[in-house]
Amino acid sequence: MYNLFLFLFSQTITFIHLNDTHTHLVPHGKWINGEKEFRAAAGAATIIKNLKNTYPDAILVHAGDAFVGDLIHNVLKGKGELTFLKSLGIRIFTIGNHEFDFGSNTLYNTLLQVGLPDNQTKLLSANLIYNGHPLQNLIKPYEIDTVNGIIIGYVGLTTQIPTLLLPDLPPIMVDDPVDYARMYKDTLNALGCHLKVLVSHLGVEMDTYIARTTPNGYNLIIGGHSHTKLENPLIIRNLSGDTVWVVQAYEHYKCVGFLQMDLSSGKPRLINYSLIPVDTSVPYDSASLTLIQQFKDSVKLSFGRDMYGTFIGYADTSIEHRFIENSPYKDSPLGNLVTDAMRDTLKTDIALEVGFLIGEPLYKGQFSEADLYRSVPYGYDPLTKTNLILVKSYFYGDTLIKILNFALNPYIYPLLLPQTSGMTYKYSSSSHTLEEALVNGQPIKPDSLYSVATNIWLLHGLKLILNITPVYSETTSVTQYYALLHYVSKFDTLHYRTEGRIIDLAYSVKEFNQKQPEIESSPNFFIGDIYFNYPFNINIFDITGRKIKTKELKRNGNSKGKLLF
């Protein structure tokens, strides 16, 4: 009986998985009883070490995008994240698109400095085309492990489109991942793998497509890129009628994924799965805290000030980074704040920023510079060690309309939908047509020249995808972060919301069901009569941004409400 138990136990393979952790090594999130909501890396380390103590053969896997999202990355250029993962015994790491944000050469140098890959950790991506770049000596398409006699094959894949837009990616290219998924599935089969695992940085939709359309394919897909919180595995039948399990562990060390596969019957099956939250109930791992403090000290030394422990502002509501899916209003509170800061800094007619380049919310309560930076974490300026350089560009009105129409293309919508300041526009997501575009309240004139606050990545993307270049441009020395820092310093209390700068006419206001909205005003903002169709709050602020009064207004019977100012 004892030998039978050992045999059955040895037929179980345990995985611990992470993805899209984005340098969130320091606690982050909303304030809860005086501390941040998520204990991040040092909390995740506690969970991972406890699981490894219980299951000594557990395999730690990361599905990509460990880089970019915090000032630690800007200062250490990936050495912090990889050193931390090495300390946990990471086995498989798939290269994500953000590993290339600082350029292919920077990634190569970082890997050499950290000493990866090594005997313990293997770096995977099967669909990178190196064109002679030395990263080809460090990154493999697949890896084979043998655990208790079970042969496990891993293939890594990197998402194609966002990676190809990076200006410092060449000479490396990223090929179609679907072809390589099928090619290396055949390799794993030829090598006699009992368990075939795709460690994918493609997103959950592509993962399910590959799972469904690949015959005799992967048994398990550990995914990333889409930041999806899969509390239960997706169960997919492939073309051979076999079951494929697809999992993903959310983002930012908010969860640790845990799963077990049983192979005692000769055919893999998932027998245990959970997402373990890294919240305030999880104790910190002391060794990880010490390591992360060293990273924070490096940031303080680089900037000459405490970027984490010194508070620089206060937000009286969480300033969310994404619009609400079923809402007609597609301007996000954070998108409004960021573009206002850009336009205010460069003194332009309008500002444009792509929604996916806006980071995470600025949460209610006090915030530090590090909190503010996580709102705009993309790109890199070597001089300031912050983010994207702002550019003052000039475009004719017909070019601006072309840009908006492209963003409404059904194949990419809403990924590239611009957030705006100084410009408002209306469109229909059902017909993917632009219905109205205004600059400072007036229709865009096709032959008029407008000044636009943008950043270098946005200009690069316009050139690469649409062959659009500005009539002329002025590259500044100001980064998006420092524009935002300067702008928020003007407010004693920061309060931003969705304003209706961008409206999707496929929805009506009556269909829009959300938490009671708020309309906030500086003194004398409203002139004349204001009509409203549903209850809302009015917050009145003084000239310094301090809230001085809140009033709830309700509809009277079936009639419309009316306010007189």
Side-chain angles (χ1 to χ4, degrees):
M1 177 65 77
Y2 181 70
N3 289 335
L4 177 60
F5 173 79
L6 285 178
F7 173 76
L8 292 175
F9 184 79
S10 69
Q11 302 299 295
T12 299
I13 302 296
T14 300
F15 293 100
I16 305 166
H17 63 101
L18 302 164
N19 58 274
D20 299 288
T21 49
H22 283 293
T23 323
H24 279 59
L25 302 170
V26 176
H28 59 91
K30 299 175 183 177
W31 287 102
I32 298 177
N33 298 323
E35 64 176 310
K36 292 297 183 75
E37 179 181 10
F38 298 106
R39 292 202 160 173
T46 296
I47 295 170
I48 291 167
K49 288 181 178 182
N50 286 343
L51 288 172
K52 284 195 160 193
N53 285 336
T54 305
Y55 307 98
D57 293 328
I59 301 162
L60 179 59
V61 174
H62 195 298
D65 275 7
F67 288 9
V68 179
D70 186 273
L71 290 166
I72 288 172
H73 181 74
N74 291 46
V75 172
L76 299 178
K77 299 180 182 177
K79 292 190 288 291
E81 298 93 313
L82 295 178
T83 299
F84 171 71
L85 289 171
K86 278 186 70 174
S87 75
L88 298 179
I90 183 80
R91 175 58 182 158
I92 299 293
F93 182 89
T94 286
I95 302 297
N97 53 294
H98 284 290
E99 271 67 75
F100 289 106
D101 276 14
F102 287 16
S104 301
N105 292 336
T106 300
L107 175 59
Y108 177 72
N109 291 330
T110 294
L111 293 174
L112 290 182
Q113 291 167 22
V114 177
L116 289 179
D118 57 16
N119 290 334
Q120 170 188 265
T121 305
K122 302 304 177 185
L123 311 173
L124 301 185
S125 181
N127 60 319
L128 295 181
I129 308 300
Y130 297 96
N131 293 313
H133 195 280
L135 274 171
Q136 65 188 347
N137 301 317
L138 305 181
I139 302 169
K140 302 170 58 178
Y142 67 92
E143 177 66 15
I144 304 296
D145 274 346
T146 302
V147 179
N148 297 322
I150 296 172
I151 304 173
I152 308 170
Y154 307 91
V155 173
L157 290 173
T158 303
T159 186
Q160 187 178 32
I161 297 301
T163 317
L164 288 176
L165 297 179
L166 295 170
D168 295 321
L169 179 67
I172 289 177
M173 299 297 291
V174 188
D175 214 342
D176 182 359
V178 176
D179 292 340
Y180 288 84
R182 292 168 180 165
M183 178 193 312
Y184 282 101
K185 170 268 297 186
D186 292 337
T187 300
L188 300 189
N189 285 332
L191 292 171
C193 293
H194 303 116
L195 179 60
K196 292 166 287 183
V197 182
L198 177 61
V199 186
S200 154
H201 195 78
L202 302 177
V204 70
E205 289 189 13
M206 184 63 77
D207 290 344
T208 55
Y209 175 79
I210 290 173
R212 186 175 63 254
T213 61
T214 306
N216 300 310
Y218 300 95
N219 310 113
L220 173 66
I221 299 179
I222 298 175
H225 183 57
S226 55
H227 296 226
T228 307
K229 187 178 183 181
L230 288 180
E231 298 192 21
N232 294 296
L234 301 180
I235 302 174
I236 312 293
R237 294 285 181 186
N238 67 17
L239 292 176
S240 305
D242 298 319
T243 300
V244 185
W245 290 271
V246 177
V247 299
Q248 196 174 144
Y250 202 16
E251 62 181 7
H252 302 167
Y253 292 109
K254 293 177 181 177
C255 297
V256 173
F258 168 75
L259 68 93
Q260 292 181 303
M261 302 290 292
D262 174 64
L263 286 88
S264 59
S265 67
K267 183 173 272 193
R269 64 187 182 95
L270 190 143
I271 58 171
N272 196 3
Y273 178 76
S274 62
L275 282 187
I276 305 169
V278 189
D279 56 24
T280 55
S281 68
V282 179
Y284 291 113
D285 173 64
S286 58
S288 297
L289 278 180
T290 299
L291 188 61
I292 293 164
Q293 185 59 50
Q294 293 172 9
F295 304 154
K296 291 168 65 178
D297 290 344
S298 296
V299 173
K300 184 176 182 179
L301 181 64
S302 180
F303 283 89
R305 59 190 187 273
D306 184 1
M307 305 294 279
Y308 293 90
T310 301
F311 297 115
I312 60 163
Y314 180 85
D316 74 348
T317 187
S318 289
I319 301 172
E320 296 295 335
H321 64 315
R322 298 288 182 261
F323 54 75
I324 299 173
E325 290 292 334
N326 64 343
S327 160
Y329 308 117
K330 300 305 183 185
D331 55 315
S332 72
L334 189 56
N336 292 341
L337 171 60
V338 170
T339 53
D340 279 357
M342 294 166 63
R343 185 164 69 105
D344 178 77
T345 300
L346 299 193
K347 309 304 178 189
T348 55
D349 297 319
I350 66 176
L352 295 179
E353 178 59 294
V354 180
F356 76 83
L357 287 180
I358 294 171
E360 67 181 61
L362 193 61
Y363 292 104
K364 179 179 179 179
Q366 293 180 308
F367 57 86
S368 66
E369 286 198 58
D371 295 323
L372 188 67
Y373 183 79
R374 283 191 287 268
S375 299
V376 284
Y378 300 113
Y380 181 64
D381 171 44
L383 184 62
T384 64
K385 290 188 171 62
T386 59
N387 59 353
L388 295 169
I389 290 285
L390 295 185
V391 182
K392 187 174 186 177
S393 301
Y394 293 83
F395 293 95
Y396 283 111
D398 59 351
T399 304
L400 295 175
I401 292 171
K402 182 178 180 180
I403 292 169
L404 293 177
N405 277 316
F406 174 74
L408 298 176
N409 185 304
Y411 294 103
I412 61 171
Y413 174 84
L415 179 66
L416 300 181
L417 196 69
Q419 296 293 297
T420 64
S421 177
M423 171 194 281
T424 62
Y425 63 96
K426 297 177 182 178
Y427 68 94
S428 172
S429 61
S430 58
S431 62
H432 294 276
T433 55
L434 181 67
E435 302 294 338
E436 177 186 271
L438 309 177
V439 172
N440 296 320
Q442 299 299 315
I444 290 181
K445 298 178 181 179
D447 57 351
S448 291
L449 197 62
Y450 297 93
S451 59
V452 183
T454 59
N455 62 63
I456 55 174
W457 273 15
L458 182 56
L459 291 182
H460 173 76
L462 289 174
K463 172 65 175 175
L464 188 67
I465 300 173
L466 296 177
N467 198 29
I468 286 176
T469 56
V471 176
Y472 64 97
S473 60
E474 304 166 9
T475 301
T476 73
S477 60
V478 182
T479 66
Q480 194 175 49
Y481 169 72
Y482 276 110
L484 184 58
L485 178 64
H486 174 73
Y487 185 72
V488 302
S489 70
K490 299 180 179 184
F491 299 89
D492 286 344
T493 299
L494 198 59
H495 187 99
Y496 259 77
R497 67 175 183 93
T498 296
E499 300 173 5
R501 298 182 187 185
I502 306 165
I503 295 178
D504 182 358
L505 298 174
Y507 298 88
S508 71
V509 172
K510 290 182 180 180
E511 292 173 334
F512 179 36
N513 180 22
Q514 68 159 352
K515 186 178 179 181
Q516 179 172 300
E518 295 185 350
I519 295 179
E520 55 278 347
S521 168
S522 301
N524 302 320
F525 182 85
F526 292 126
I527 303 297
D529 296 353
I530 299 295
Y531 292 89
F532 58 98
N533 292 314
Y534 47 82
F536 62 89
N537 286 342
I538 285 188
N539 294 331
I540 308 297
F541 296 84
D542 67 18
I543 198 167
T544 68
R546 180 174 61 89
K547 186 193 292 186
I548 58 176
K549 188 175 182 181
T550 299
K551 184 175 181 181
E552 182 181 14
L553 297 150
K554 298 180 179 180
R555 183 184 302 175
N556 182 13
N558 293 322
S559 63
K560 291 185 176 180
K562 180 177 180 180
L563 275 177
L564 297 178
F565 285 83

